[in-house]
Amino acid sequence: MSVLFTLTAEAAGQVCSTAGECANQGVDNFVGTPQRVWASIAALVSLVGVVVGVRARIRLGRRTGNGGTRGAVVALAAGLIGGVNGAVDLAVADGGPGSGNGVVGAAAALVLGVVAVVLGLLVLTRSRRAEPVG
């Protein structure tokens, strides 16, 4: 069994909906509600999309390798996945910030997802324009 799987299983076992449930399970700290975890993962995916999009934009300027097209596609996909998950989490949230529904993380995922999609599209359109004809 891998170390990553073991750590993930331990973290998933600590997720509970209230601090009272965590106390009954013998967990020392309150990790968060499932909605918060969902929003945090969506924000992380969107952030990865932004980082890959920026790196693809830099690679496009250097004119090395594939011109950043693979990075642009990854940024586009990660931005869409994270942004859509953030929008869905915002749509199903019952309360505002601090309610345990992951509203802040979902909003961050939505904004970062849009930025990643824009970066991916920008690199894709510029890389097609930069290809030699013939």
Side-chain angles (χ1 to χ4, degrees):
M1 187 180 299
S2 71
V3 173
L4 182 61
F5 181 74
T6 305
L7 292 174
T8 306
E10 285 181 25
Q14 293 180 356
V15 176
C16 40
S17 59
T18 64
E21 282 183 18
C22 285
N24 293 336
Q25 294 176 3
V27 178
D28 293 339
N29 54 356
F30 179 58
V31 175
T33 61
Q35 291 90 359
R36 282 186 179 170
V37 174
W38 176 22
S40 298
I41 291 171
L44 185 64
V45 168
S46 295
L47 182 63
V48 167
V50 170
V51 169
V52 171
V54 167
R55 289 179 56 101
R57 175 68 178 99
I58 291 169
R59 179 167 287 201
L60 177 66
R62 290 184 188 160
R63 306 263 188 237
T64 60
N66 62 3
T69 55
R70 273 186 272 170
V73 171
V74 170
L76 190 62
L80 282 173
I81 291 169
V84 167
N85 275 300
V88 169
D89 194 7
L90 278 174
V92 299
D94 293 336
S99 64
N101 291 315
V103 174
V104 176
L110 183 61
V111 170
L112 289 172
V114 169
V115 171
V117 167
V118 168
L119 279 170
L121 289 175
L122 179 70
V123 172
L124 279 178
T125 55
R126 289 193 179 196
S127 67
R128 290 184 185 172
R129 201 177 319 152
E131 289 179 0
V133 178

